[in-house]
Amino acid sequence: MIIETIDYNKGMVVIIDQTLLPNNEKFLNLRTLNEVAEAIRSLRVRGAPAIGIAASYGMLLHLDTMLRTESVDNPEYIFDREVGIKPFSFPDISIDEIRNCLWEAKKRLEVTRPTAINLFYALERMLSVFDTEEEDPRRLCELVAREAFSIHAEELETEIKIGENGARYIKDGMNILTHCNAGGLATAGYGTALAVLYTAKKEGKEFLVYADETRPLFQGARLTAWELEKNGIDVSVLCDNAAASLFAAGKVDLVIVGADRIASNGDVANKIGTLGLAILCKAYSKPLYVAAPLSTFDINIADGNDIPIEQRSGGEISYFGKRRIVPENVNIYNPGFDVTPAEYISSIITEKGVIENPGRGKIASFIRD
Ligand code: MRU
């Protein structure tokens, strides 16, 4: 089942508000660039690939708003994922004004979340339309819309291939541990780590999944459990600090996670807590698989030390719901991500194939060839 995580519908970015799941399946119609930026920042839309799609739609929305405001027709909307571009009187707008509009959107969006490279990948792709040397403003705007819709569509195709490439690692009767949410909610709708499980399930394999709750924002408990259950996959949620005891009980055959950024040597940034699982995999001789699109690789970064790690608000830890659980005046350490060194990773599963025992040389030739 493809989850409707995000869409561009009649001049609005439509998302399922992930902060309300699993109790409330509420869709939000975002009508301004600031609303999209806020939705990314506050994790209403989250997960590396979904953040990238949201950012490209944020740019498109900003352009949609400018064109609507300037057009004499005063149309209700201009762009739509189904329809494409609605006929309207194109306003007297120059290429420079279009470029400034998109730059303004990029500046606003690039400061929302620092770790997932997919955000920056999508913003750059949207600006790449200016490399085409198109001189007609209307056609340039059409290219911008086409780029945003392609980012979304390609992402979904990529996820289906990741599922196909990874499903062979899942065997009947296995116990599988995952962390955070690398499913349809984190992506264009099918997932990365969870895509592997969905495809294995389609192939008729039966297995059990353990989902770490993933403190402090509970993406595992709230989101992974929600979508696995919807897809008929047997899932149990555990506290993050119960993972070691699950390994000790012999109940983990493999760990599979997604990624927010992969350095050129194969070091992987993913949700805080992934490194602990990697160390457990080593201690108990179990494989750790990372499933991610090629757009998650940052070949400009030598290793994990250079990956910017998001530091989130202390309030996410000092409060449990509305109740304060940490004394006043106590400092909080709340990094959103950690970095797992490449040597802890058995394989990285991508849309192009699998990189076993990833390292600098292998990754470079894999991406190049
Ligand atoms: O802070 P989040 O919820 O955006 O973190 C998400 C993760 O860490 C995911 O594991 C990662 O983005 C991979 S998503 C396919």
Side-chain angles (χ1 to χ4, degrees):
M1 183 186 86
I2 302 297
I3 291 172
E4 289 171 33
T5 305
I6 184 159
D7 202 355
Y8 195 92
N9 187 254
K10 296 191 174 146
M12 292 177 293
V13 181
V14 182
I15 57 163
I16 185 162
D17 185 345
Q18 299 193 34
T19 62
L20 303 179
L21 289 171
N23 302 320
N24 191 350
E25 295 179 21
K26 183 177 175 195
F27 287 85
L28 297 178
N29 296 326
L30 309 175
R31 293 165 204 271
T32 65
L33 171 65
N34 273 339
E35 284 177 10
V36 175
E38 188 281 332
I40 296 173
R41 175 84 196 125
S42 61
L43 276 66
R44 295 184 201 288
V45 57
R46 34 89 21 225
I51 292 171
I53 298 164
S56 64
Y57 282 163
M59 284 176 97
L60 184 62
L61 178 62
H62 203 46
L63 180 63
D64 203 321
T65 309
M66 179 175 86
L67 294 176
R68 252 183 291 151
T69 315
E70 299 291 327
S71 171
V72 287
D73 301 352
N74 206 7
E76 204 189 321
Y77 68 91
I78 291 175
F79 304 117
D80 176 271
R81 190 154 72 105
E82 294 258 295
V83 175
I85 299 151
K86 217 176 132 203
F88 73 111
S89 315
F90 196 83
D92 184 17
I93 279 178
S94 68
I95 299 263
D96 275 347
E97 282 169 294
I98 298 166
R99 187 184 284 110
N100 289 344
C101 171
L102 292 180
W103 264 102
E104 189 180 48
K106 177 176 180 275
K107 289 272 158 249
R108 178 71 188 89
L109 292 162
E110 69 189 1
V111 294
T112 51
R113 298 198 71 192
T115 304
I117 183 80
N118 310 59
L119 171 76
F120 306 94
Y121 164 82
L123 295 176
E124 287 305 327
R125 257 190 78 169
M126 291 295 285
L127 288 181
S128 72
V129 297
F130 292 101
D131 301 341
T132 59
E133 291 172 14
E134 177 57 68
E135 284 176 3
D136 178 55
R138 174 192 279 269
R139 279 205 295 274
L140 191 79
C141 290
E142 287 171 6
L143 289 180
V144 171
R146 225 174 281 151
E147 197 63 30
F149 298 137
S150 300
I151 289 172
H152 192 173
E154 286 168 25
E155 185 57 47
L156 189 57
E157 284 169 23
T158 292
E159 292 159 23
I160 290 165
K161 287 193 194 127
I162 289 175
E164 288 165 0
N165 290 337
R168 67 181 138 114
Y169 294 109
I170 311 299
K171 308 265 187 292
D172 258 330
M174 272 188 162
N175 293 321
I176 295 151
L177 178 59
T178 190
H179 190 68
C180 194
N181 172 263
L185 286 168
T187 61
Y190 194 53
T192 54
L194 299 193
V196 169
L197 305 184
Y198 293 144
T199 304
K201 170 89 180 167
K202 268 194 223 147
E203 291 174 355
K205 294 171 191 165
E206 292 295 333
F207 48 86
L208 299 180
V209 179
Y210 288 94
D212 277 348
E213 62 175 356
T214 317
R215 270 192 66 86
L217 297 179
F218 300 102
Q219 290 93 329
R222 297 187 301 104
L223 309 177
T224 294
W226 178 81
E227 61 168 278
L228 287 178
E229 200 272 334
K230 265 189 184 295
N231 280 286
I233 292 182
D234 197 333
V235 56
S236 304
V237 172
L238 60 148
C239 293
D240 298 329
N241 48 13
S245 86
L246 194 71
F247 276 88
K251 289 189 176 162
V252 180
D253 294 307
L254 65 83
V255 173
I256 188 160
V257 293
D260 285 78
R261 195 183 290 226
I262 304 176
S264 58
N265 71 334
D267 291 352
V268 167
N270 191 49
K271 180 51 57 191
I272 190 76
T274 304
L275 174 60
L277 296 185
I279 294 168
L280 283 168
C281 281
K282 206 168 202 83
Y284 286 90
S285 303
K286 299 296 175 193
L288 168 62
Y289 297 107
V290 172
L294 289 176
S295 54
T296 300
F297 285 80
D298 186 351
I299 49 158
N300 298 316
I301 277 190
D303 59 42
N305 290 318
D306 290 338
I307 299 179
I309 299 295
E310 179 178 12
Q311 302 295 324
R312 294 197 56 91
S313 141
E316 290 178 353
I317 291 188
S318 54
Y319 283 85
F320 191 78
K322 290 199 163 74
R323 188 162 76 92
R324 191 168 180 102
I325 54 166
V326 178
E328 300 277 358
N329 305 322
V330 169
N331 295 325
I332 300 288
Y333 175 62
N334 187 19
F337 301 90
D338 56 27
V339 175
T340 298
E343 63 263 30
Y344 288 78
I345 296 161
S346 312
S347 298
I348 302 177
I349 302 162
T350 76
E351 68 272 32
K352 196 175 172 186
V354 174
I355 313 170
E356 286 176 357
N357 303 313
R360 193 179 304 282
K362 271 193 182 177
I363 289 175
S365 56
F366 182 85
I367 290 177
R368 194 183 50 236
D369 299 341

